[in-house]
Amino acid sequence: MQEELDNIELDDLPSVELDLNFAQKVSLSFLLFGVQHSHASFILQKLLTLVRSPPEEQLNSDLLRLYAHANPGSWRSHLVEALCIINARRVLRKLGLNWEQLRLRYLPHISEISLHVHPMLKALYVICERLTVAQSGRLVLDINEKLARQRSEGDIGEPLRFYDLEYLEIFMLDWLTRRHICLGDIETIGSDVQLLIEYFKFHDMHQFATLLIQTYNSNASAQEYIKCESDAEPEQPTSVVQPAARSNANASNPIALQSAKRVRQENAGILLIINQQTFHRNVDEEFRHLLPTESLRKREGTDVDKRRLTEVFSALGYSVESHDNVDHLTMLELIRSVCDRSMMRDSLIVCILSHGFEGAVYGCDSIPLSIIDLQWVLCADKNLNETPKLLVIQACQQNEKNKQTRDVNAGRMPVNQLGNMVVAMSTVPGYVALRHSLNGSWFIQTLCETVREHADNDHVLEILTTTIGKVSEKRGDKDQQMVPLLSSTLRQKVFLPARNTVPNK
Protein backbone atom coordinates (compact mmCIF):
# COMPACT_ATOMS: atom_id res chain seq x y z
CA MET A 1 0.00 0.00 0.00
CA GLN A 2 2.76 2.46 0.91
CA GLU A 3 4.46 1.94 -2.44
CA GLU A 4 1.27 2.83 -4.29
CA LEU A 5 0.89 5.95 -2.15
CA ASP A 6 4.46 7.03 -2.85
CA ASN A 7 3.79 6.72 -6.58
CA ILE A 8 1.22 9.52 -6.45
CA GLU A 9 2.90 12.66 -7.78
CA LEU A 10 2.03 16.33 -7.62
CA ASP A 11 1.43 16.28 -11.36
CA ASP A 12 -1.36 13.74 -10.84
CA LEU A 13 -3.45 16.15 -8.77
CA PRO A 14 -4.89 18.33 -11.58
CA SER A 15 -6.31 15.23 -13.27
CA VAL A 16 -7.72 14.06 -9.94
CA GLU A 17 -9.60 17.35 -9.59
CA LEU A 18 -10.95 17.07 -13.14
CA ASP A 19 -12.62 13.80 -12.13
CA LEU A 20 -14.34 15.40 -9.13
CA ASN A 21 -17.55 17.39 -9.24
CA PHE A 22 -17.72 20.63 -7.31
CA ALA A 23 -19.66 19.14 -4.40
CA GLN A 24 -16.91 16.54 -3.98
CA LYS A 25 -14.29 19.29 -4.06
CA VAL A 26 -16.10 21.13 -1.30
CA SER A 27 -16.24 17.97 0.83
CA LEU A 28 -12.60 17.13 0.14
CA SER A 29 -11.49 20.66 1.00
CA PHE A 30 -13.46 20.51 4.25
CA LEU A 31 -11.81 17.23 5.27
CA LEU A 32 -8.29 18.34 4.34
CA PHE A 33 -8.12 22.04 5.18
CA GLY A 34 -10.55 22.24 8.10
CA VAL A 35 -8.12 20.95 10.73
CA GLN A 36 -6.09 24.18 11.06
CA HIS A 37 -7.65 27.56 11.66
CA SER A 38 -5.50 29.43 9.12
CA HIS A 39 -6.09 26.76 6.47
CA ALA A 40 -9.83 26.73 7.17
CA SER A 41 -10.02 30.51 6.76
CA PHE A 42 -8.13 30.30 3.49
CA ILE A 43 -10.16 27.48 1.98
CA LEU A 44 -13.44 29.08 3.07
CA GLN A 45 -12.65 32.21 1.06
CA LYS A 46 -11.40 30.11 -1.84
CA LEU A 47 -14.59 28.04 -1.95
CA LEU A 48 -16.81 31.12 -1.66
CA THR A 49 -15.02 32.56 -4.68
CA LEU A 50 -15.27 29.32 -6.66
CA VAL A 51 -18.94 28.69 -5.90
CA ARG A 52 -19.78 32.02 -7.54
CA SER A 53 -17.45 31.40 -10.51
CA PRO A 54 -18.26 29.97 -13.94
CA PRO A 55 -18.08 26.15 -14.25
CA GLU A 56 -14.76 26.24 -16.13
CA GLU A 57 -13.10 28.02 -13.22
CA GLN A 58 -14.58 25.51 -10.79
CA LEU A 59 -13.13 22.77 -12.97
CA ASN A 60 -9.57 24.14 -12.71
CA SER A 61 -9.58 24.97 -9.02
CA ASP A 62 -6.09 23.61 -8.15
CA LEU A 63 -7.17 22.97 -4.55
CA LEU A 64 -5.24 19.72 -4.13
CA ARG A 65 -1.92 21.14 -5.27
CA LEU A 66 -2.37 23.95 -2.77
CA TYR A 67 -2.95 21.36 -0.05
CA ALA A 68 0.08 19.30 -1.09
CA HIS A 69 2.38 22.34 -1.03
CA ALA A 70 1.09 23.27 2.44
CA ASN A 71 1.62 19.71 3.75
CA PRO A 72 4.66 18.29 1.89
CA GLY A 73 5.26 15.39 4.27
CA SER A 74 1.78 14.01 4.71
CA TRP A 75 -0.46 15.06 1.84
CA ARG A 76 -0.61 11.66 0.10
CA SER A 77 -1.99 9.66 3.05
CA HIS A 78 -4.42 12.41 4.06
CA LEU A 79 -5.66 12.87 0.49
CA VAL A 80 -6.23 9.16 -0.10
CA GLU A 81 -8.14 8.75 3.16
CA ALA A 82 -10.28 11.80 2.36
CA LEU A 83 -11.02 10.36 -1.11
CA CYS A 84 -12.10 7.12 0.59
CA ILE A 85 -14.39 9.00 2.97
CA ILE A 86 -16.18 10.78 0.11
CA ASN A 87 -16.31 7.47 -1.79
CA ALA A 88 -14.41 8.72 -4.87
CA ARG A 89 -13.70 5.19 -6.09
CA ARG A 90 -13.12 6.08 -9.73
CA VAL A 91 -10.41 8.55 -8.80
CA LEU A 92 -8.77 6.02 -6.49
CA ARG A 93 -8.76 3.38 -9.23
CA LYS A 94 -7.10 5.83 -11.63
CA LEU A 95 -4.40 6.36 -9.02
CA GLY A 96 -3.74 2.61 -9.07
CA LEU A 97 -5.23 1.89 -5.65
CA ASN A 98 -7.34 -1.10 -4.64
CA TRP A 99 -10.65 -0.18 -3.04
CA GLU A 100 -10.95 -3.24 -0.81
CA GLN A 101 -7.46 -2.70 0.58
CA LEU A 102 -8.24 0.95 1.18
CA ARG A 103 -11.52 0.09 2.86
CA LEU A 104 -9.80 -2.25 5.28
CA ARG A 105 -7.07 0.31 6.00
CA TYR A 106 -9.09 3.51 6.39
CA LEU A 107 -12.52 2.16 7.47
CA PRO A 108 -14.48 4.91 5.65
CA HIS A 109 -17.75 3.19 6.60
CA ILE A 110 -17.11 3.72 10.35
CA SER A 111 -18.11 7.31 11.01
CA GLU A 112 -16.42 7.80 14.39
CA ILE A 113 -12.89 6.64 13.50
CA SER A 114 -10.23 7.90 11.13
CA LEU A 115 -6.52 7.35 10.56
CA HIS A 116 -5.10 10.64 9.26
CA VAL A 117 -8.09 12.93 8.66
CA HIS A 118 -9.32 14.59 11.86
CA PRO A 119 -12.06 12.30 13.26
CA MET A 120 -14.37 15.19 14.12
CA LEU A 121 -14.16 16.48 10.54
CA LYS A 122 -15.12 13.02 9.31
CA ALA A 123 -18.12 12.95 11.67
CA LEU A 124 -19.21 16.42 10.59
CA TYR A 125 -18.89 15.43 6.92
CA VAL A 126 -21.08 12.37 7.54
CA ILE A 127 -23.70 14.62 9.13
CA CYS A 128 -23.56 16.97 6.14
CA GLU A 129 -24.18 14.03 3.82
CA ARG A 130 -27.06 12.58 5.81
CA LEU A 131 -29.05 15.74 6.39
CA THR A 132 -31.65 16.64 3.81
CA VAL A 133 -31.57 20.09 2.23
CA ALA A 134 -34.56 21.07 4.40
CA GLN A 135 -32.82 19.84 7.55
CA SER A 136 -29.63 21.64 6.54
CA GLY A 137 -31.58 24.84 6.01
CA ARG A 138 -33.18 24.64 9.44
CA LEU A 139 -29.81 23.88 11.04
CA VAL A 140 -28.10 26.86 9.38
CA LEU A 141 -31.00 29.20 10.10
CA ASP A 142 -31.31 28.28 13.78
CA ILE A 143 -27.56 28.21 14.50
CA ASN A 144 -26.95 31.53 12.74
CA GLU A 145 -29.89 33.14 14.56
CA LYS A 146 -28.40 32.00 17.85
CA LEU A 147 -24.98 33.35 16.86
CA ALA A 148 -26.56 36.62 15.71
CA ARG A 149 -28.02 37.10 19.19
CA GLN A 150 -24.52 36.63 20.60
CA ARG A 151 -23.19 39.23 18.18
CA SER A 152 -25.83 41.65 19.38
CA GLU A 153 -24.55 41.10 22.91
CA GLY A 154 -21.05 42.25 22.02
CA ASP A 155 -19.57 39.65 19.67
CA ILE A 156 -17.99 41.05 16.53
CA GLY A 157 -17.90 39.91 12.93
CA GLU A 158 -20.34 40.01 10.06
CA PRO A 159 -22.44 36.94 9.26
CA LEU A 160 -21.59 34.73 6.28
CA ARG A 161 -23.26 36.03 3.11
CA PHE A 162 -23.86 32.64 1.52
CA TYR A 163 -27.13 30.81 1.03
CA ASP A 164 -26.55 27.62 -1.00
CA LEU A 165 -27.55 24.82 1.36
CA GLU A 166 -26.22 22.15 -1.02
CA TYR A 167 -22.80 22.93 0.46
CA LEU A 168 -23.35 22.60 4.20
CA GLU A 169 -19.60 22.08 4.73
CA ILE A 170 -19.06 25.75 3.81
CA PHE A 171 -21.25 26.79 6.75
CA MET A 172 -19.35 24.35 8.97
CA LEU A 173 -16.05 25.93 7.88
CA ASP A 174 -17.45 29.34 8.75
CA TRP A 175 -18.36 28.17 12.26
CA LEU A 176 -14.89 26.65 12.62
CA THR A 177 -13.09 29.81 11.58
CA ARG A 178 -15.15 31.87 14.04
CA ARG A 179 -14.42 29.24 16.73
CA HIS A 180 -18.09 28.59 17.39
CA ILE A 181 -17.11 24.92 17.08
CA CYS A 182 -13.63 23.55 17.74
CA LEU A 183 -12.04 20.29 16.62
CA GLY A 184 -9.35 19.93 19.28
CA ASP A 185 -6.31 17.78 18.59
CA ILE A 186 -6.28 14.45 16.73
CA GLU A 187 -7.43 12.73 19.95
CA THR A 188 -10.28 15.29 20.19
CA ILE A 189 -8.82 16.83 23.35
CA GLY A 190 -10.04 20.43 23.32
CA SER A 191 -12.92 19.57 20.99
CA ASP A 192 -16.09 21.63 21.41
CA VAL A 193 -19.09 20.86 19.23
CA GLN A 194 -21.61 21.48 22.01
CA LEU A 195 -23.42 24.01 19.82
CA LEU A 196 -24.33 21.25 17.37
CA ILE A 197 -25.01 18.59 20.01
CA GLU A 198 -27.53 20.86 21.73
CA TYR A 199 -29.23 21.61 18.41
CA PHE A 200 -29.54 17.96 17.39
CA LYS A 201 -30.83 16.86 20.78
CA PHE A 202 -33.39 19.68 20.91
CA HIS A 203 -34.68 18.79 17.44
CA ASP A 204 -34.88 15.04 18.16
CA MET A 205 -32.01 14.18 15.82
CA HIS A 206 -30.29 12.19 18.52
CA GLN A 207 -28.37 10.01 16.06
CA PHE A 208 -26.25 13.01 15.06
CA ALA A 209 -25.69 14.12 18.64
CA THR A 210 -24.69 10.55 19.47
CA LEU A 211 -22.30 10.43 16.51
CA LEU A 212 -20.45 13.53 17.72
CA ILE A 213 -20.29 12.24 21.28
CA GLN A 214 -19.10 8.79 20.19
CA THR A 215 -16.47 10.38 17.93
CA TYR A 216 -15.17 12.32 20.91
CA ASN A 217 -15.15 9.24 23.16
CA SER A 218 -13.69 6.86 20.55
CA ASN A 219 -10.66 9.00 19.84
CA ALA A 220 -9.74 10.20 23.34
CA SER A 221 -6.74 8.35 24.76
CA ALA A 222 -7.63 5.36 26.87
CA GLN A 223 -4.80 6.44 29.17
CA GLU A 224 -3.49 9.98 29.14
CA TYR A 225 -0.01 10.43 30.53
CA ILE A 226 1.44 13.42 32.29
CA LYS A 227 4.06 15.34 30.34
CA CYS A 228 6.98 17.05 31.94
CA GLU A 229 6.54 20.80 31.86
CA SER A 230 9.38 21.18 29.36
CA ASP A 231 7.76 18.68 26.99
CA ALA A 232 4.20 19.99 27.17
CA GLU A 233 2.54 21.59 24.18
CA PRO A 234 0.66 24.63 25.50
CA GLU A 235 -1.67 24.83 22.50
CA GLN A 236 -2.95 21.31 23.23
CA PRO A 237 -3.66 21.26 27.00
CA THR A 238 -4.22 17.87 28.54
CA SER A 239 -7.01 17.25 30.99
CA VAL A 240 -4.84 14.97 33.12
CA VAL A 241 -2.37 16.75 35.33
CA GLN A 242 0.23 16.48 37.99
CA PRO A 243 -0.05 19.52 40.24
CA ALA A 244 3.24 21.35 40.47
CA ALA A 245 3.30 21.31 44.24
CA ARG A 246 3.20 17.50 44.16
CA SER A 247 5.48 16.74 41.25
CA ASN A 248 8.33 15.36 43.32
CA ALA A 249 6.10 13.23 45.49
CA ASN A 250 4.39 11.60 42.52
CA ALA A 251 7.28 11.43 40.08
CA SER A 252 8.09 7.81 40.94
CA ASN A 253 4.48 6.67 40.92
CA PRO A 254 3.09 6.45 37.36
CA ILE A 255 -0.17 4.95 38.61
CA ALA A 256 -0.79 8.03 40.74
CA LEU A 257 -0.05 10.30 37.78
CA GLN A 258 -2.50 8.52 35.52
CA SER A 259 -5.26 8.62 38.14
CA ALA A 260 -5.50 12.43 38.26
CA LYS A 261 -7.61 14.69 36.07
CA ARG A 262 -7.34 18.48 35.89
CA VAL A 263 -10.50 20.22 34.77
CA ARG A 264 -9.44 22.67 32.08
CA GLN A 265 -10.39 26.29 32.60
CA GLU A 266 -11.45 26.79 28.97
CA ASN A 267 -13.74 23.75 29.16
CA ALA A 268 -14.59 23.62 32.86
CA GLY A 269 -18.34 23.25 32.44
CA ILE A 270 -21.51 24.64 33.98
CA LEU A 271 -22.22 25.59 37.58
CA LEU A 272 -25.99 25.52 38.07
CA ILE A 273 -27.17 27.40 41.17
CA ILE A 274 -30.76 26.88 42.31
CA ASN A 275 -31.33 29.57 44.91
CA GLN A 276 -34.54 29.29 46.92
CA GLN A 277 -35.21 32.37 49.03
CA THR A 278 -38.98 32.59 49.31
CA PHE A 279 -41.56 29.80 49.33
CA HIS A 280 -45.28 29.46 48.61
CA ARG A 281 -47.91 26.72 48.96
CA ASN A 282 -49.96 27.27 45.79
CA VAL A 283 -49.96 23.73 44.43
CA ASP A 284 -52.54 21.39 42.93
CA GLU A 285 -54.68 19.41 45.31
CA GLU A 286 -52.94 16.15 44.39
CA PHE A 287 -49.67 17.50 45.85
CA ARG A 288 -50.99 19.17 48.98
CA HIS A 289 -50.24 16.13 51.14
CA LEU A 290 -46.55 16.76 50.40
CA LEU A 291 -46.57 20.27 51.87
CA PRO A 292 -44.93 20.87 55.26
CA THR A 293 -47.27 21.47 58.18
CA GLU A 294 -46.00 25.04 58.55
CA SER A 295 -45.09 27.59 55.89
CA LEU A 296 -41.38 27.70 55.07
CA ARG A 297 -39.63 30.86 56.15
CA LYS A 298 -37.71 33.23 53.89
CA ARG A 299 -34.03 32.23 53.66
CA GLU A 300 -32.25 35.48 54.51
CA GLY A 301 -28.60 35.55 53.41
CA THR A 302 -28.93 33.02 50.59
CA ASP A 303 -28.18 35.68 47.95
CA VAL A 304 -24.80 36.21 49.64
CA ASP A 305 -24.05 32.53 49.01
CA LYS A 306 -25.17 32.81 45.40
CA ARG A 307 -22.93 35.80 44.74
CA ARG A 308 -19.91 34.16 46.34
CA LEU A 309 -20.35 30.93 44.41
CA THR A 310 -20.63 32.94 41.20
CA GLU A 311 -17.47 34.94 41.94
CA VAL A 312 -15.30 31.98 42.89
CA PHE A 313 -16.34 29.47 40.24
CA SER A 314 -16.57 31.91 37.32
CA ALA A 315 -12.92 32.76 38.08
CA LEU A 316 -12.14 29.07 37.54
CA GLY A 317 -13.74 29.14 34.09
CA TYR A 318 -17.20 27.81 34.97
CA SER A 319 -20.24 29.14 33.14
CA VAL A 320 -22.52 30.05 36.03
CA GLU A 321 -26.30 29.74 35.57
CA SER A 322 -28.28 30.88 38.60
CA HIS A 323 -32.05 30.63 39.06
CA ASP A 324 -34.03 32.07 41.95
CA ASN A 325 -37.18 30.62 43.50
CA VAL A 326 -38.04 27.76 41.14
CA ASP A 327 -40.62 25.08 41.81
CA HIS A 328 -39.74 21.41 42.16
CA LEU A 329 -40.54 20.50 38.55
CA THR A 330 -38.47 23.39 37.20
CA MET A 331 -35.60 22.22 39.39
CA LEU A 332 -35.67 18.87 37.60
CA GLU A 333 -35.93 20.51 34.18
CA LEU A 334 -32.94 22.75 34.92
CA ILE A 335 -30.81 19.82 36.05
CA ARG A 336 -31.73 17.74 33.01
CA SER A 337 -30.98 20.70 30.76
CA VAL A 338 -27.46 21.22 32.11
CA CYS A 339 -26.82 17.49 31.80
CA ASP A 340 -27.78 17.65 28.12
CA ARG A 341 -25.35 20.54 27.64
CA SER A 342 -22.43 19.01 29.55
CA MET A 343 -21.50 16.05 27.38
CA MET A 344 -18.39 17.71 25.99
CA ARG A 345 -17.43 19.53 29.19
CA ASP A 346 -14.85 18.49 31.74
CA SER A 347 -17.20 18.60 34.74
CA LEU A 348 -20.62 19.62 36.02
CA ILE A 349 -21.57 21.28 39.33
CA VAL A 350 -25.12 21.67 40.68
CA CYS A 351 -25.62 23.69 43.87
CA ILE A 352 -29.02 23.80 45.57
CA LEU A 353 -29.64 26.40 48.29
CA SER A 354 -32.93 25.71 50.03
CA HIS A 355 -34.80 24.37 53.04
CA GLY A 356 -34.93 20.63 53.50
CA PHE A 357 -35.30 17.67 55.79
CA GLU A 358 -33.40 14.39 56.04
CA GLY A 359 -32.76 13.13 52.51
CA ALA A 360 -34.79 15.87 50.79
CA VAL A 361 -34.70 19.45 49.56
CA TYR A 362 -37.61 21.82 48.79
CA GLY A 363 -38.66 23.62 45.63
CA CYS A 364 -40.02 27.14 46.09
CA ASP A 365 -43.51 25.61 45.89
CA SER A 366 -42.74 23.78 49.18
CA ILE A 367 -42.77 20.40 47.43
CA PRO A 368 -39.76 18.27 48.48
CA LEU A 369 -37.57 16.22 46.17
CA SER A 370 -35.46 13.27 47.24
CA ILE A 371 -31.73 14.01 47.09
CA ILE A 372 -31.13 10.45 45.88
CA ASP A 373 -33.55 11.11 43.01
CA LEU A 374 -31.56 14.24 42.14
CA GLN A 375 -28.38 12.14 42.05
CA TRP A 376 -30.08 9.68 39.73
CA VAL A 377 -31.19 12.49 37.41
CA LEU A 378 -27.60 13.72 37.25
CA CYS A 379 -26.34 10.22 36.45
CA ALA A 380 -29.16 9.19 34.11
CA ASP A 381 -27.34 9.96 30.85
CA LYS A 382 -24.65 7.36 30.23
CA ASN A 383 -22.78 9.89 28.08
CA LEU A 384 -21.90 11.69 31.33
CA ASN A 385 -20.58 8.50 32.93
CA GLU A 386 -16.96 9.68 32.74
CA THR A 387 -17.73 13.30 33.63
CA PRO A 388 -17.09 14.29 37.27
CA LYS A 389 -20.34 15.60 38.75
CA LEU A 390 -20.60 17.56 42.02
CA LEU A 391 -23.94 18.04 43.80
CA VAL A 392 -23.78 20.61 46.62
CA ILE A 393 -26.74 20.83 48.99
CA GLN A 394 -27.15 23.71 51.44
CA ALA A 395 -30.26 22.71 53.40
CA CYS A 396 -31.27 21.48 56.83
CA GLN A 397 -31.47 17.70 57.20
CA GLN A 398 -33.53 17.30 60.37
CA ASN A 399 -35.31 14.02 60.88
CA GLU A 400 -38.99 14.61 60.27
CA LYS A 401 -41.04 11.42 60.49
CA ASN A 402 -43.65 10.53 57.90
CA LYS A 403 -42.46 13.18 55.44
CA GLN A 404 -42.83 12.18 51.79
CA THR A 405 -41.12 13.47 48.65
CA ARG A 406 -42.48 13.86 45.13
CA ASP A 407 -41.95 10.73 43.05
CA VAL A 408 -40.12 11.90 39.92
CA ASN A 409 -39.71 8.48 38.25
CA ALA A 410 -35.95 8.83 38.19
CA GLY A 411 -35.76 5.09 37.55
CA ARG A 412 -33.03 2.61 38.30
CA MET A 413 -29.87 2.33 36.24
CA PRO A 414 -26.75 0.16 36.05
CA VAL A 415 -24.71 0.75 39.18
CA ASN A 416 -21.70 1.80 37.12
CA GLN A 417 -23.61 4.88 35.97
CA LEU A 418 -23.56 6.17 39.53
CA GLY A 419 -19.78 6.57 39.37
CA ASN A 420 -17.92 9.89 39.17
CA MET A 421 -20.42 11.55 41.50
CA VAL A 422 -19.70 13.66 44.57
CA VAL A 423 -22.40 14.80 46.97
CA ALA A 424 -21.42 17.53 49.44
CA MET A 425 -24.04 18.17 52.13
CA SER A 426 -23.99 21.15 54.44
CA THR A 427 -24.82 18.92 57.41
CA VAL A 428 -25.04 15.30 58.47
CA PRO A 429 -28.51 13.69 58.65
CA GLY A 430 -30.69 14.73 61.56
CA TYR A 431 -29.31 18.25 62.03
CA VAL A 432 -29.88 21.83 60.93
CA ALA A 433 -27.63 23.74 58.50
CA LEU A 434 -26.59 27.09 59.91
CA ARG A 435 -26.94 30.29 57.89
CA HIS A 436 -26.24 33.91 58.82
CA SER A 437 -28.80 36.42 57.55
CA LEU A 438 -26.06 38.88 56.47
CA ASN A 439 -22.94 36.77 55.85
CA GLY A 440 -24.46 33.70 54.23
CA SER A 441 -24.26 30.05 55.27
CA TRP A 442 -21.32 28.54 57.12
CA PHE A 443 -20.92 25.73 54.62
CA ILE A 444 -21.12 27.61 51.32
CA GLN A 445 -18.96 30.51 52.49
CA THR A 446 -16.30 28.14 53.86
CA LEU A 447 -16.41 26.02 50.71
CA CYS A 448 -15.82 29.07 48.52
CA GLU A 449 -12.98 30.26 50.75
CA THR A 450 -11.33 26.81 50.60
CA VAL A 451 -11.69 26.57 46.83
CA ARG A 452 -10.13 30.01 46.45
CA GLU A 453 -7.19 29.05 48.66
CA HIS A 454 -6.54 25.46 47.59
CA ALA A 455 -7.87 24.86 44.06
CA ASP A 456 -4.38 25.15 42.52
CA ASN A 457 -2.91 22.26 44.50
CA ASP A 458 -5.60 20.15 46.19
CA HIS A 459 -8.03 17.82 44.48
CA VAL A 460 -11.77 18.12 44.99
CA LEU A 461 -12.07 15.61 47.82
CA GLU A 462 -9.21 17.26 49.70
CA ILE A 463 -10.90 20.65 49.30
CA LEU A 464 -14.18 19.28 50.63
CA THR A 465 -12.44 17.50 53.51
CA THR A 466 -10.70 20.76 54.45
CA THR A 467 -14.07 22.49 54.27
CA ILE A 468 -15.59 19.94 56.66
CA GLY A 469 -12.72 20.52 59.09
CA LYS A 470 -13.10 24.30 59.03
CA VAL A 471 -16.88 24.21 59.45
CA SER A 472 -16.63 21.69 62.29
CA GLU A 473 -14.42 24.11 64.23
CA LYS A 474 -16.88 27.01 63.99
CA ARG A 475 -19.05 28.04 66.91
CA GLY A 476 -22.16 30.22 66.84
CA ASP A 477 -23.04 32.90 69.37
CA LYS A 478 -25.08 30.27 71.22
CA ASP A 479 -22.33 27.66 70.80
CA GLN A 480 -24.04 26.10 67.77
CA GLN A 481 -21.99 23.53 65.82
CA MET A 482 -22.29 21.90 62.43
CA VAL A 483 -20.60 19.01 60.60
CA PRO A 484 -20.95 18.76 56.79
CA LEU A 485 -21.13 15.40 55.02
CA LEU A 486 -19.27 14.13 51.96
CA SER A 487 -19.88 11.08 49.77
CA SER A 488 -18.02 10.22 46.59
CA THR A 489 -17.86 7.66 43.79
CA LEU A 490 -15.07 9.44 41.88
CA ARG A 491 -12.85 7.05 39.95
CA GLN A 492 -9.82 9.30 40.07
CA LYS A 493 -8.50 12.43 41.73
CA VAL A 494 -10.12 15.48 40.16
CA PHE A 495 -8.46 18.90 40.31
CA LEU A 496 -10.37 22.11 39.65
CA PRO A 497 -8.94 24.52 37.07
CA ALA A 498 -6.03 26.76 37.99
CA ARG A 499 -7.44 30.09 39.07
CA ASN A 500 -7.77 33.46 37.54
CA THR A 501 -7.80 36.09 40.27
CA VAL A 502 -10.59 35.08 42.64
CA PRO A 503 -11.98 38.02 44.62
CA ASN A 504 -11.56 38.11 48.37
CA LYS A 505 -14.62 38.56 50.53
Side-chain angles (χ1 to χ4, degrees):
M1 175 70 69
Q2 189 59 47
E3 184 178 349
E4 287 86 350
L5 290 177
D6 292 339
N7 288 334
I8 302 174
E9 301 292 342
L10 282 171
D11 291 341
D12 295 326
L13 299 183
S15 62
V16 168
E17 287 204 43
L18 288 173
D19 286 327
L20 298 170
N21 60 43
F22 187 68
Q24 288 176 311
K25 291 180 182 181
V26 171
S27 298
L28 205 61
S29 299
F30 176 72
L31 291 167
L32 294 175
F33 287 92
V35 70
Q36 295 182 19
H37 185 266
S38 59
H39 289 175
S41 299
F42 161 77
I43 203 62
L44 174 61
Q45 298 307 315
K46 180 80 172 174
L47 291 174
L48 289 173
T49 300
L50 285 172
V51 78
R52 300 180 178 111
S53 300
E56 59 271 16
E57 291 187 27
Q58 294 181 359
L59 201 61
N60 300 300
S61 53
D62 207 28
L63 297 168
L64 299 185
R65 285 169 64 94
L66 290 171
Y67 179 74
H69 285 303
N71 300 273
S74 59
W75 66 268
R76 292 177 177 84
S77 56
H78 285 69
L79 171 62
V80 169
E81 181 175 14
L83 288 168
C84 288
I85 292 171
I86 70 169
N87 200 31
R89 299 193 192 189
R90 185 176 68 167
V91 171
L92 291 165
R93 281 197 299 271
K94 284 190 174 182
L95 291 172
L97 299 168
N98 180 279
W99 172 251
E100 288 305 318
Q101 291 179 350
L102 293 172
R103 189 174 184 274
L104 290 173
R105 179 182 177 88
Y106 294 114
L107 303 176
H109 53 292
I110 300 179
S111 304
E112 304 91 345
I113 298 174
S114 63
L115 189 59
H116 303 295
V117 170
H118 196 289
M120 200 60 76
L121 284 174
K122 182 178 179 180
L124 292 172
Y125 162 76
V126 170
I127 290 172
C128 291
E129 288 296 297
R130 293 180 182 174
L131 289 174
T132 66
V133 173
Q135 289 172 327
S136 297
R138 175 52 58 186
L139 169 67
V140 170
L141 180 64
D142 287 359
I143 293 292
N144 282 341
E145 282 183 354
K146 181 175 183 177
L147 298 178
R149 288 194 296 271
Q150 293 176 359
R151 278 193 293 273
S152 67
E153 295 169 3
D155 196 9
I156 61 173
E158 289 297 317
L160 179 68
R161 305 298 183 185
F162 179 71
Y163 308 100
D164 194 338
L165 298 169
E166 292 284 351
Y167 306 114
L168 183 55
E169 292 96 330
I170 289 179
F171 296 94
M172 294 279 189
L173 280 169
D174 178 56
W175 298 334
L176 279 168
T177 59
R178 297 173 189 264
R179 304 189 190 279
H180 298 311
I181 56 177
C182 299
L183 301 175
D185 66 12
I186 196 66
E187 292 180 344
T188 66
I189 295 173
S191 175
D192 185 357
V193 289
Q194 192 71 27
L195 180 73
L196 297 175
I197 290 174
E198 290 176 15
Y199 174 86
F200 290 133
K201 288 178 73 70
F202 182 79
H203 290 275
D204 293 326
M205 292 188 277
H206 296 277
Q207 70 274 27
F208 299 130
T210 300
L211 171 58
L212 293 174
I213 294 165
Q214 289 179 343
T215 299
Y216 179 86
N217 292 335
S218 298
N219 291 278
S221 296
Q223 290 184 326
E224 295 176 19
Y225 295 91
I226 306 303
K227 294 182 178 181
C228 298
E229 193 169 21
S230 59
D231 297 332
E233 299 172 7
E235 60 275 10
Q236 302 293 353
T238 177
S239 61
V240 181
V241 301
Q242 174 184 359
R246 300 174 179 226
S247 58
N248 292 333
N250 289 335
S252 60
N253 188 353
I255 294 177
L257 299 185
Q258 294 171 25
S259 63
K261 173 176 181 174
R262 169 75 78 180
V263 174
R264 296 165 295 173
Q265 188 174 86
E266 68 274 14
N267 198 45
I270 298 170
L271 165 61
L272 171 65
I273 303 173
I274 295 176
N275 179 42
Q276 312 285 34
Q277 185 180 53
T278 59
F279 299 82
H280 65 85
R281 300 167 65 89
N282 302 319
V283 297
D284 293 341
E285 185 63 34
E286 62 177 310
F287 300 131
R288 296 195 66 82
H289 69 285
L290 298 174
L291 293 172
T293 53
E294 297 181 2
S295 297
L296 297 173
R297 295 181 179 180
K298 184 177 181 180
R299 298 184 63 254
E300 301 285 359
T302 188
D303 285 347
V304 179
D305 286 346
K306 181 182 73 169
R307 287 195 297 270
R308 190 59 179 155
L309 285 164
T310 301
E311 290 171 354
V312 170
F313 283 90
S314 61
L316 300 182
Y318 282 89
S319 175
V320 179
E321 301 179 6
S322 62
H323 299 267
D324 297 335
N325 303 325
V326 296
D327 62 42
H328 73 288
L329 290 178
T330 305
M331 287 172 64
L332 294 171
E333 291 171 4
L334 290 171
I335 294 172
R336 289 181 174 125
S337 173
V338 294
C339 287
D340 286 344
R341 293 179 284 122
S342 295
M343 294 179 187
M344 305 293 285
R345 307 302 186 192
D346 285 358
S347 63
L348 170 61
I349 303 175
V350 175
C351 186
I352 300 176
L353 316 174
S354 187
H355 287 305
F357 58 88
E358 187 171 341
V361 65
Y362 282 105
C364 78
D365 55 358
S366 303
I367 299 297
L369 293 172
S370 164
I371 293 171
I372 291 178
D373 282 349
L374 296 178
Q375 290 178 242
W376 283 25
V377 171
L378 277 165
C379 295
D381 194 327
K382 63 182 179 181
N383 291 307
L384 290 180
N385 196 21
E386 299 302 321
T387 302
K389 298 168 285 292
L390 172 59
L391 175 61
V392 179
I393 302 288
Q394 167 61 41
C396 291
Q397 292 293 291
Q398 292 160 294
N399 187 345
E400 300 188 17
K401 294 181 179 179
N402 303 320
K403 278 290 186 71
Q404 294 178 283
T405 59
R406 171 74 191 275
D407 183 3
V408 298
N409 297 315
R412 297 193 65 83
M413 63 191 71
V415 66
N416 192 51
Q417 267 182 248
L418 297 170
N420 278 323
M421 181 79 205
V422 178
V423 180
M425 303 284 298
S426 57
T427 182
V428 293
Y431 292 86
V432 299
L434 298 170
R435 169 176 36 84
H436 193 281
S437 60
L438 297 178
N439 299 329
S441 67
W442 287 14
F443 177 59
I444 295 298
Q445 293 298 317
T446 305
L447 172 62
C448 291
E449 174 189 342
T450 309
V451 168
R452 187 181 64 82
E453 293 175 351
H454 297 284
D456 287 352
N457 296 319
D458 291 354
H459 59 74
V460 167
L461 297 185
E462 289 176 316
I463 289 172
L464 290 169
T465 301
T466 300
T467 301
I468 292 172
K470 289 181 177 180
V471 172
S472 300
E473 294 174 355
K474 288 180 177 291
R475 296 293 182 272
D477 54 4
K478 297 180 181 179
D479 203 34
Q480 301 100 318
Q481 297 176 250
M482 194 173 84
V483 178
L485 179 67
L486 167 65
S487 65
S488 169
T489 58
L490 287 180
R491 298 189 179 102
Q492 60 186 158
K493 296 176 182 177
V494 175
F495 292 84
L496 294 172
R499 294 174 299 154
N500 288 327
T501 301
V502 181
N504 288 313
K505 286 187 178 180

